[in-house]
Amino acid sequence: MSTPILSLEGFLSEKIPQLLQEHALDLKGKDKRFVESLHLALPKVYQLFHELYGAFPEAETQFLELLRSLIWSHKERSHALQERDQFKAEKGIWFLSNELAGMSLYVDRFAGNLKGMPAKIPHLEELGINFLHLMPIMESPLGESDGGYAVSDFRKVDPRFGTLEDLKALIQVMQNKGMYLMLDMVLNHTSHHHEWAKKAKAGDPEYQAFYHTYEDRWVPNEFEQAMPEIFPESAPGNFTWCEEMKRWVMTVFHSYQWDLNFRNPQVFRAMLENILFYGNLGVDVLRIDAPAFIWKQAGTSCQNLPQAHTLLRLIKQCVQVASPGMTILGEAIVAPKEIMNYFGTGEYVAQECDFAYHATQMALQWDMLASGETQVMLNAQEDVLKKPYGTSWITYTRCHDDIGLGYEDASIARAGKDPYLHRKFLKEYYSYSGDQWMSPARGVLFSSNPKTGDARISGTLASLCGLEKALFEGNGPAIELSIQKILMMQAHAIFLGGLPMIFYGDEVGYINDYSYQQDPSKNYDNRWMHRPLIDWEKVNRRKTEGTLEFQVYEGLKKLLALRKSQPVFSDWSNCTWMNPHNIHVAGLVRSRGSERRYCIYNFSESTAYLTWYVFREQGESATQLHDHWTDSLVTIGSDQEHLILEPYGFRIFEPKA
Ligand code: GLC
């Protein structure tokens, strides 16, 4: 028999006053904001918790513990961070600002370790970066780390990077400079070396209940029927036999990443405490890794289940109460319709994840680059343009992961193309097989699944834009053209609406690094080819005019500065696409009141002619347009005349009366 959870009224009238007293909170003074926001959030926290765990034995005790965690976390929050929370709150929705620009990097591959980071910050500041995503730095066993996404201790910095004190020191340096920090919370799984997994292996049933473990194949087989494989080549199947435990354990990603069982409220609370711990370190954006996977149900794909959303909403409410300055990015790399749900639906619109990756548009820009056409992209906008106000995208050309072509077949079909053939074309275009036809791209297929025909793409921005091949051939014009492509791809991501996230190395045009093939801890995962080990001599060439590093860096710097100088590029959910009068040209309108900017991109390798009518069609009354990219003024001509765009050329136009 399960114990029914005490009513909300019971908590409000009885338990909460007791808890507040127990923790000696100062209701009229320094704890006032917290207590108010706890009361405000309580009905939702209660409802969400109840939905997930109401029927669980000891639900009431678990709920009380959860409230204790919130109080504990608030009490631990430093005065300085509380002031920072206040500062952010006064800015409105601080993270929508056009003044933020991010970079994602591996601390060890970029700066050696955490202590080495401050010395590299000027390089980033000069570029216009004021937001850092440090790739996972918590303890993770070498050789079985998945780039740090197999965490064995959520509260200990891996010695390879330094110590928690080094991290705190870096955060201080960053905050003093007005910079923001994003860290990962790997919510879905732990390393099999985590102490919970070790206890489970030792036979402790309490900790076996932290994971999905089974003594035989009955349940695993049932799950496997409907679950796709994430790494079909390197980690086929979703379960691993653990000899020590003599049980099967669910391992959706690699065999060393054990999926946590969020049906167990103890797991939820333990992970929430880790989240709040990061909040109190001073994390500004928490990147929740792989949230689509956190709830499992046999007979389903175990992705995007309603309970996964309930869990995220519960996390959001708790964070808002105890760590109000920390926003949440849900790393849901799923179909466009599904991604949208991570912003919240129904009464929770804009109350789930504050950010999501714009994985759809990221992939679509690679689609446009390969095909030279914009129809598939334009046909895939219906859902993503509905992003609710108050939430935002991470916009990017690529990240540490592969590029998945995750948009729907229907968008391809609506564009008049055969989805199977179109995807085949894209895979061939980006993956170099030695005897390649005319494709300039140098990438490799990642996680090809012969059973489904699916494949994703690995490769750096520069290699996929043709720089690797052009350099290999010593082909000057091709080098120039690939730099132009790199900058157009960056411009497309930077002005898209959201927080642009540059992947480190791309700022100086790094090409693929194949040395991972010699490293047994990495050679099973070709994503390492696009995670460069930074050579600072190469980076310093950016200071020498005429080098490709100079061109790429200076171009990117100009784009970021341009975005930063114009508030209209804040993410006020203010994006529309212009009609496709030329299928090679994508035109994005960013508007705010009477302010407008037209971002025009020619995705084709040929000169494109765009009728001036496109601007009149937008109701544009100005007679001239100032292009911020080339710093030139053009006159809007008649409908029979054209704006002429060079191959892969782009413009960022501001109307001039
Ligand atoms: C996320 C990470 C990816 C990792 C996976 C498992 O998708 O971005 O690098 O392999 O989660 O944690």
Side-chain angles (χ1 to χ4, degrees):
M1 270 287 287
S2 59
T3 322
I5 194 167
L6 187 70
S7 70
L8 175 62
E9 291 67 35
F11 272 100
L12 280 169
S13 62
E14 205 187 298
K15 300 284 182 188
I16 295 280
Q18 272 171 20
L19 280 175
L20 298 181
Q21 215 176 18
E22 190 186 301
H23 290 87
L25 291 179
D26 174 3
L27 306 192
K28 295 208 177 97
K30 65 179 177 30
D31 302 316
K32 188 164 176 272
R33 187 218 60 82
F34 168 75
V35 175
E36 279 173 5
S37 96
L38 178 66
H39 276 93
L40 262 174
L42 200 71
K44 283 189 169 149
V45 175
Y46 176 90
Q47 180 204 343
L48 294 163
F49 185 88
H50 194 264
E51 262 177 52
L52 293 168
Y53 304 117
F56 198 89
E58 299 173 47
E60 187 181 318
T61 323
Q62 287 299 329
F63 190 66
L64 268 179
E65 288 306 314
L66 184 151
L67 297 178
R68 282 204 178 90
S69 301
L70 296 182
I71 297 174
W72 156 84
S73 167
H74 160 70
K75 291 193 81 169
E76 290 278 302
R77 197 156 181 82
S78 69
H79 182 62
L81 277 180
Q82 294 195 34
E83 281 189 343
R84 194 173 161 88
D85 295 339
Q86 190 55 34
F87 170 73
K88 285 179 184 161
E90 282 161 15
K91 281 189 162 184
I93 309 176
W94 66 274
F95 57 86
L96 303 183
S97 167
N98 63 304
E99 293 182 7
L100 298 177
M103 181 179 276
S104 186
L105 58 87
Y106 288 97
V107 169
D108 53 342
R109 300 174 82 75
F110 183 77
N113 54 32
L114 284 165
K115 278 205 169 81
M117 278 300 296
K120 304 300 184 202
I121 286 182
H123 164 75
L124 302 172
E125 282 183 310
E126 201 191 313
L127 182 62
I129 298 295
N130 57 2
F131 181 110
L132 291 186
H133 170 209
L134 303 183
M135 297 297 294
I137 47 176
M138 293 304 169
E139 190 187 80
S140 178
L142 199 64
E144 288 186 331
S145 102
D146 187 20
Y149 286 101
V151 179
S152 52
D153 189 336
F154 290 100
R155 306 213 184 176
K156 185 176 166 211
V157 168
D158 196 290
R160 272 176 286 155
F161 305 108
T163 62
L164 200 57
E165 291 315 307
D166 296 339
L167 175 61
K168 287 182 183 164
L170 172 63
I171 295 176
Q172 204 49 60
V173 170
M174 287 174 60
Q175 289 188 349
N176 293 345
K177 286 175 174 286
M179 295 178 87
Y180 296 87
L181 172 71
M182 175 155 101
L183 285 188
D184 281 270
M185 175 71 235
V186 188
L187 198 62
N188 180 65
H189 44 257
T190 73
S191 155
H192 71 124
H193 290 293
H194 190 282
E195 66 161 312
W196 302 334
K198 285 186 186 161
K199 288 181 180 165
K201 284 183 194 175
D204 185 337
E206 187 183 338
Y207 286 94
Q208 287 182 353
F210 268 50
Y211 300 94
H212 301 267
T213 75
Y214 306 95
E215 58 185 358
D216 56 37
R217 283 292 308 187
W218 282 104
V219 180
N221 285 348
E222 202 188 332
F223 268 109
E224 288 289 14
Q225 304 252 324
M227 284 174 89
E229 293 173 301
I230 306 303
F231 299 134
E233 290 169 316
S234 56
N238 289 290
F239 291 85
T240 301
W241 173 252
C242 174
E243 187 52 35
E244 281 163 276
M245 194 165 58
K246 299 260 182 294
R247 290 174 81 84
W248 290 93
V249 58
M250 186 184 279
T251 55
V252 168
F253 291 88
H254 294 98
S255 57
Y256 51 78
Q257 289 162 307
W258 285 21
D259 286 62
L260 285 165
N261 173 15
F262 278 95
R263 287 173 182 266
N264 177 349
Q266 265 176 281
V267 170
F268 174 74
R269 205 167 47 75
M271 291 306 278
L272 179 69
E273 286 185 354
N274 286 330
I275 290 173
L276 298 176
F277 172 81
Y278 288 4
N280 280 347
L281 279 179
V283 169
D284 299 292
V285 177
L286 187 74
R287 177 189 181 278
I288 294 194
D289 185 61
F293 298 84
I294 56 184
W295 195 270
K296 315 293 195 299
Q297 171 77 53
T300 73
S301 67
C302 296
Q303 290 183 32
N304 307 311
L305 295 182
Q307 294 89 339
H309 291 286
T310 309
L311 266 168
L312 291 170
R313 290 167 188 186
L314 182 53
I315 291 173
K316 173 70 190 157
Q317 290 294 326
C318 293
V319 165
Q320 213 154 304
V321 170
S323 226
M326 183 164 78
T327 60
I328 289 176
L329 160 64
E331 187 250 350
I333 311 299
V334 292
K337 271 198 177 58
E338 294 290 352
I339 294 186
M340 299 308 292
N341 293 336
Y342 287 84
F343 291 122
T345 50
E347 62 173 312
Y348 286 92
V349 169
Q351 287 192 58
E352 195 173 313
C353 296
D354 304 294
F355 279 105
Y357 280 95
H358 207 336
T360 307
Q361 192 67 23
M362 185 275 292
L364 286 165
Q365 69 174 337
W366 290 105
D367 181 300
M368 290 191 279
L369 191 75
S371 63
E373 296 177 355
T374 58
Q375 305 102 305
V376 177
M377 185 279 283
L378 292 171
N379 276 288
Q381 295 301 313
E382 199 190 327
D383 295 311
V384 292
L385 284 180
K386 291 184 193 142
K387 178 175 71 60
Y389 181 81
T391 61
S392 196
W393 297 115
I394 297 290
T395 61
Y396 59 131
T397 60
R398 65 141 188 142
C399 66
H400 68 288
D401 282 331
D402 46 286
I403 297 168
L405 306 171
Y407 39 94
E408 278 152 349
D409 278 354
S411 319
I412 305 178
R414 277 199 298 271
K417 295 175 193 287
D418 178 298
Y420 172 79
L421 291 178
H422 187 63
R423 287 182 191 279
K424 184 167 178 283
F425 156 74
L426 293 172
K427 285 183 278 178
E428 283 172 5
Y429 182 91
Y430 286 116
S431 65
Y432 176 60
S433 60
D435 56 348
Q436 197 71 8
W437 45 296
M438 73 319 171
S439 168
R442 286 289 178 271
V444 169
L445 292 185
F446 174 75
S447 274
S448 288
N449 191 338
K451 287 177 251 172
T452 59
D454 282 348
R456 287 113 73 180
I457 295 148
S458 286
T460 67
L461 171 66
S463 286
L464 295 177
C465 284
L467 187 59
E468 185 177 332
K469 180 173 186 246
L471 287 172
F472 179 76
E473 291 170 353
N475 182 340
I479 293 175
E480 287 306 313
L481 196 65
S482 58
I483 293 175
Q484 179 63 33
K485 283 196 218 176
I486 291 171
L487 293 176
M488 184 192 64
M489 293 290 275
Q490 293 284 30
H492 169 272
I494 285 172
F495 296 107
L496 193 54
L499 198 169
M501 190 69 68
I502 310 298
F503 195 68
Y504 80 109
D506 285 350
E507 82 279 20
V508 285
Y510 258 90
I511 57 172
N512 294 336
D513 174 1
Y514 300 97
S515 64
Y516 78 96
Q517 290 166 346
Q518 270 73 57
D519 180 343
S521 70
K522 300 192 170 72
N523 61 10
Y524 60 89
D525 187 340
N526 68 29
R527 291 176 298 177
W528 285 102
M529 72 198 251
H530 58 234
R531 300 168 177 175
L533 187 59
I534 294 299
D535 163 7
W536 285 89
E537 254 176 51
K538 173 178 168 66
V539 173
N540 285 332
R541 285 205 286 276
R542 73 174 171 81
K543 293 179 184 148
T544 311
E545 236 171 286
T547 60
L548 74 91
E549 290 83 3
F550 176 89
Q551 283 187 65
V552 174
Y553 185 91
E554 287 300 316
L556 183 57
K557 180 169 148 184
K558 186 169 173 183
L559 291 171
L560 291 173
L562 175 53
R563 178 176 173 279
K564 192 169 180 179
S565 69
Q566 317 224 350
V568 68
F569 290 123
S570 290
D571 186 7
W572 283 304
S573 297
N574 53 346
C575 299
T576 48
W577 291 97
M578 297 162 91
N579 280 330
H581 288 276
N582 179 329
I583 60 165
H584 307 296
V585 180
L588 180 70
V589 189
R590 301 293 310 270
S591 50
R592 174 79 169 166
S594 57
E595 283 273 301
R596 277 202 182 174
R597 297 294 178 277
Y598 299 101
C599 310
I600 313 279
Y601 309 96
N602 174 15
F603 275 89
S604 100
E605 59 187 4
S606 311
T607 304
Y609 298 82
L610 187 67
T611 164
W612 288 108
Y613 171 68
V614 291
F615 299 101
R616 268 187 283 279
E617 192 181 26
Q618 292 292 322
E620 186 52 65
S621 55
T623 51
Q624 291 191 311
L625 299 169
H626 174 242
D627 173 27
H628 285 280
W629 176 240
T630 55
D631 201 12
S632 56
L633 200 61
V634 293
T635 302
I636 299 181
S638 69
D639 295 353
Q640 290 75 36
E641 293 173 309
H642 297 96
L643 164 68
I644 302 172
L645 293 156
E646 65 283 9
Y648 304 110
F650 64 92
R651 306 282 187 273
I652 310 298
F653 281 136
E654 176 176 355
K656 293 279 171 203

